[in-house]
Amino acid sequence: MPPLLDPDDVYAATRPGKLSPVVRRFPARVYVPNGTSGTVDVIDARTFRRVGRFPTGQLPQHVTPSWDLRTLWVGNNQGNSLTPIDPATGRSGRRIRVADPYNLYFTPNGRRAIVVAERLRRLDFRDPHTMRLRHSLPVPCFGVDHLDFSADGRSLLASCEFSGHLVRVDVAQERVLGILRLRPGAMPQDVKLAPDGRVYYVADMGSGGVWVVDAARLRVVGFVPTGKGAHGLYASRDSRHLYVSNRGEGSISLLSFATRKVVATWRLPGGGSPDMGGVSADGKVLWLAGRYHDEVYAIDTRTGRLRARIPVGQGPHGLCVYPQPGRYSLGHTGVFR
């Protein structure tokens, strides 16, 4: 794994303006997978206008940057395929057959892609370029869907939505290290490592908040209530706050990494269903899909004001803001180091 720029901040390489030479000339776009429509909408991130649309396979869930930053992958969950996108042109390529790609990640050393096969209850370790299967790892839980990696890249923590578990996996050995059961009724979603690497934050849609989990010992050390349907987690560009999208109440919570407390709550005018997304390259706009309202939200990160509400296809989910700062991608809708 490339060494961290700052051992006390895993996000040090993602400051505003720190674009890799690979992506500097890519147009600023937001790629929105519309699960019900089976399409991807393309939005100009500067004008807030839709500038394109193309078909994908059945039930596209997330748009994921490749480890080397050169390709975007659309995970067609029920279509059992991945659609590549060239971010230089915004054009899609030929689909690759892949079983159950609910989500997609890359090991920190870039040697493997990890297809999160939610329905099949496994993590599939694949070649990051051809997507050829190398090893399937069954997981002892139901609904595995999101994950993040430890600061040293040696392990990952995955959430299992339907059984309320968290699973830790040895990345190099590709084996399960341990499992943690959360409270009854928990529905863990997105997972995000704290800047200092000491704890993971896990959004819990069933409990309406965020679990704080010791990254070394795999034990719960706290819970922060945020709002109904806590779902997506995104670090601010200065590594000070965690944005938490509360899908069930149309709000976004700002959680302080320093105090582990909510310091502000932004509510979408007229409501909404903020889901997955990402932060603009300059850190000034938080982009989120409106899962059940067929729209995308552009939110000012300085004031919490809604700058734009953009109509898209049906069932928008894991949108990708691209390009973003960082040296390499760990996957999902854009987790960079």
Side-chain angles (χ1 to χ4, degrees):
M1 184 185 81
L4 296 173
L5 295 185
D6 181 347
D8 296 319
D9 186 357
V10 299
Y11 304 115
T14 67
R15 295 289 184 265
K18 287 193 174 182
L19 291 174
S20 163
V22 175
V23 306
R24 280 178 189 163
R25 295 187 178 182
F26 292 169
R29 298 288 186 262
V30 179
Y31 298 86
V32 187
N34 303 306
T36 305
S37 300
T39 60
V40 166
D41 280 342
V42 184
I43 297 170
D44 186 314
R46 292 187 173 89
T47 66
F48 302 136
R49 294 182 178 179
R50 185 168 66 86
V51 294
R53 172 178 289 173
F54 57 84
T56 64
Q58 188 176 2
L59 193 61
Q61 296 276 18
H62 301 92
V63 177
T64 300
S66 63
W67 186 90
D68 63 9
L69 310 178
R70 298 179 184 280
T71 305
L72 300 176
W73 294 99
V74 185
N76 305 310
N77 199 182
Q78 291 183 2
N80 295 307
S81 66
L82 293 172
T83 299
I85 302 172
D86 181 348
T89 64
R91 296 175 182 173
S92 61
R94 181 178 298 178
R95 298 175 204 166
I96 297 177
R97 296 293 298 175
V98 170
D100 192 19
Y102 173 81
N103 217 332
L104 176 64
Y105 292 85
F106 297 89
T107 58
N109 60 15
R111 294 179 181 175
R112 290 287 182 266
I114 303 176
V115 169
V116 181
E118 182 184 58
R119 182 180 69 253
L120 300 175
R121 296 178 59 193
R122 70 191 196 202
L123 300 177
D124 286 345
F125 290 79
R126 294 177 175 271
D127 182 281
H129 304 290
T130 67
M131 294 299 167
R132 180 181 176 185
L133 181 64
R134 298 297 185 181
H135 174 230
S136 285
L137 176 66
V139 291
C141 59
F142 294 91
V144 60
D145 49 25
H146 299 89
L147 60 90
D148 201 357
F149 297 87
S150 61
D152 60 12
R154 295 179 178 178
S155 64
L156 64 82
L157 187 70
S159 63
C160 296
E161 176 180 354
F162 303 133
S163 61
H165 289 94
L166 302 176
V167 177
R168 184 158 62 180
V169 172
D170 184 304
V171 173
Q173 299 296 319
E174 300 176 8
R175 64 184 180 91
V176 173
L177 292 174
I179 187 167
L180 173 66
R181 175 72 185 272
L182 300 174
R183 69 166 63 141
M187 296 182 69
Q189 306 290 314
D190 206 2
V191 181
K192 198 68 66 198
L193 187 68
D196 62 12
R198 295 181 180 179
V199 299
Y200 289 100
Y201 292 89
V202 182
D204 184 349
M205 195 163 63
S207 302
V210 177
W211 296 99
V212 185
V213 179
D214 189 303
R217 296 178 178 84
L218 192 59
R219 64 185 179 92
V220 172
V221 295
F223 179 79
V224 184
T226 59
K228 185 178 179 181
H231 197 76
L233 304 176
Y234 307 94
S236 62
R237 290 277 173 236
D238 58 8
S239 297
R240 294 180 59 194
H241 297 107
L242 183 69
Y243 303 118
V244 184
S245 62
N246 304 306
R247 192 173 76 185
E249 68 174 37
S251 73
I252 296 90
S253 299
L254 271 69
L255 190 156
S256 167
F257 282 124
T259 66
R260 298 180 186 174
K261 295 180 180 179
V262 172
V263 296
T265 299
W266 302 331
R267 299 190 181 278
L268 296 171
S273 49
D275 197 284
M276 291 293 176
V279 181
S280 63
D282 60 10
K284 296 180 180 180
V285 180
L286 173 65
W287 291 86
L288 295 171
R291 184 75 173 272
Y292 301 122
H293 290 72
D294 302 338
E295 57 193 9
V296 165
Y297 314 114
I299 302 159
D300 190 310
T301 58
R302 294 164 294 186
T303 65
R305 180 177 65 89
L306 180 64
R307 296 185 60 183
R309 189 187 296 259
I310 306 162
V312 291
Q314 294 180 316
H317 190 194
L319 68 77
C320 176
V321 182
Y322 209 67
Q324 293 189 47
R327 299 169 297 165
Y328 55 95
S329 165
L330 296 180
H332 191 35
T333 59
V335 180
F336 299 92
R337 297 282 192 268

